[in-house]
Amino acid sequence: MTHLTNFEVFLLLSVLKVAVVLVITLLAVAYTVLLERKLLARIQNRWGPCRVGPFGLLQPLVDGAKSFLKEDMIPLAVERPLFVLAPIIALGCALISMSVVPFGAATPVSLNGAPGVNLFQIADVNVGLLVILGITSIGVYGITLSGWSSNNKYSLLGSLRSTAQVISYELALGLSLVGVVLRAQSLNLRVIVASQSAHGALSWNVFGGLQTVAFFIYLMAAYAETNRAPFDLPEAENELVAGYHTEYSSMKFAMFFMAEYANMITVSCVASLLFLGGASSPFGHLFDSVLNTTIANAAFPVCWFVVKVFSFLSLYIWVRGTLPRFRYDQLMGFGWKFLLPLAMANIVVTSFILAIRG
């Protein structure tokens, strides 16, 4: 039996991790839709999906099958290559950004003496935060191209709105993260998480890290970046029919919604990593001596991370079921006149505090 080389071991584990993360992310996207429908139903005092499977748990599988089986109609006047490419860009960028997210504690695995490969992260990149920001920024091209290639004025207006909205709130979102980077002195996501793990929740950036204002800015900008209520202006049905995806049908139509929910999960992961301590425990190292086993050290960080992401997604859905949609001038004014100056002020104050402590 031949031994695998170091590169072959690394390649095998990387492919395996990509497959597992992709499957889990797609399942999470499907069941986030179910979670939203259930929570909104509770907010509005109704049942929500309850017919297919126990408690409606098989509803996402039925919805997926319905999308696949629907007829895929493409209008004659569209720019066909870009029309087909647009949903692929939107969904692809949403899924690729998960590749640098650390889902748990650093758990190296080695085979045949090969160097250890981190089990709970596909790629540990020194500039992981920049990778996420760059990839998610490219995702807006999917929305923009879908509106332009549809040859429909309502679709084009929806995509133009989205472009202006993302550019406006991308500035505030990026600036809100500068304080976190200044405190951690790194763009590596694992280093940022480690800088918040000393004293549990008191070390998290949203509390002890004095980045509460930055968290608020990130939260507002994230709603706008993912085109979610109350900032879902690119697909305002009462103004633009259905916005940028008016001419899409079947699985291409579903891919835009999959991209939206995948972006929600990515935003929730980033919020957990940068402001809520990532996979670290809210109790710090209080129970390390009690839970000091190999399985516990690997499993509990993943559980903490999932709980934080789930809480953030629930907040997303709660806001949708509570707040009405903004007017477009209110949306742009809020981003440029309030969030952007507030983000810049937060950088100045954070730099001043760090300089005094230094």
Side-chain angles (χ1 to χ4, degrees), residues 48-349:
C50 59
R51 299 280 183 174
V52 186
F55 307 104
L57 291 176
L58 298 182
Q59 186 67 45
L61 302 181
V62 176
D63 291 340
K66 180 183 72 173
S67 298
F68 273 110
L69 295 175
K70 277 194 171 185
E71 183 180 2
D72 187 12
M73 301 180 65
I74 300 179
L76 296 176
V78 302
E79 188 71 28
R80 192 181 181 93
L82 295 179
F83 186 84
V84 174
L85 184 63
I88 298 175
I89 293 175
L91 181 59
C93 290
L95 295 177
I96 291 172
S97 57
M98 300 295 292
S99 61
V100 296
V101 173
F103 301 99
T107 309
V109 175
S110 59
L111 296 174
N112 297 333
V117 178
N118 201 330
L119 189 61
F120 294 111
Q121 188 176 12
I122 295 176
D124 189 4
V125 184
N126 284 335
V127 290
L129 182 56
L130 290 183
V131 171
I132 290 179
L133 291 176
I135 291 174
T136 52
S137 298
I138 294 173
V140 73
Y141 283 101
I143 295 175
T144 305
L145 291 175
S146 67
W148 183 84
S149 64
S150 295
N151 198 23
N152 179 320
K153 62 182 179 181
Y154 293 106
S155 300
L156 181 59
L157 285 173
S159 62
L160 290 176
R161 275 187 173 187
S162 181
T163 303
Q165 181 173 317
V166 169
I167 291 173
S168 302
Y169 282 84
E170 190 81 28
L171 293 171
L173 186 143
L175 291 175
S176 71
L177 305 181
V178 173
V180 175
V181 174
L182 287 173
R183 182 171 183 258
Q185 297 292 306
S186 176
L187 291 167
N188 187 301
L189 294 173
R190 285 206 173 273
V191 175
I192 294 174
V193 171
S195 69
Q196 306 173 68
S197 59
H199 305 291
L202 296 178
S203 299
W204 293 354
N205 283 322
V206 71
F207 300 128
L210 302 178
Q211 294 301 308
T212 307
V213 173
F215 180 69
F216 168 77
I217 298 169
Y218 177 86
L219 193 64
M220 296 298 103
Y223 289 139
E225 285 283 297
T226 51
N227 298 326
R228 293 283 300 181
F231 301 140
D232 55 339
L233 274 299
E235 48 185 278
E237 294 88 350
N238 55 337
E239 305 165 33
L240 300 173
V241 188
Y244 55 88
H245 49 61
T246 300
E247 301 294 347
Y248 283 87
S249 61
S250 185
M251 202 57 204
K252 295 187 184 68
F253 179 80
M255 288 173 72
F256 281 112
F257 283 93
M258 292 171 66
E260 178 181 315
Y261 285 92
N263 281 323
M264 284 174 55
I265 294 172
T266 301
V267 164
S268 302
C269 290
V270 174
S272 302
L273 294 170
L274 300 186
F275 296 101
L276 303 177
S280 62
S281 169
F283 306 108
H285 303 293
L286 187 62
F287 299 107
D288 283 359
S289 58
V290 179
L291 303 173
N292 191 18
T293 64
T294 303
I295 296 177
N297 290 335
F300 273 93
V302 178
C303 293
W304 286 125
F305 185 77
V306 171
V307 167
K308 293 170 186 177
V309 172
F310 178 82
S311 302
F312 203 85
L313 287 173
S314 300
L315 179 62
Y316 246 118
I317 298 166
W318 185 15
V319 168
R320 178 183 176 181
T322 307
L323 298 180
R325 180 181 289 138
F326 280 41
R327 287 201 321 263
Y328 193 69
D329 61 318
Q330 293 174 330
L331 169 76
M332 300 302 286
F334 183 68
W336 286 103
K337 298 177 182 178
F338 180 73
L339 284 188
L340 188 60
L342 185 62
M344 297 175 70
N346 179 71
I347 294 174
V348 173
V349 173

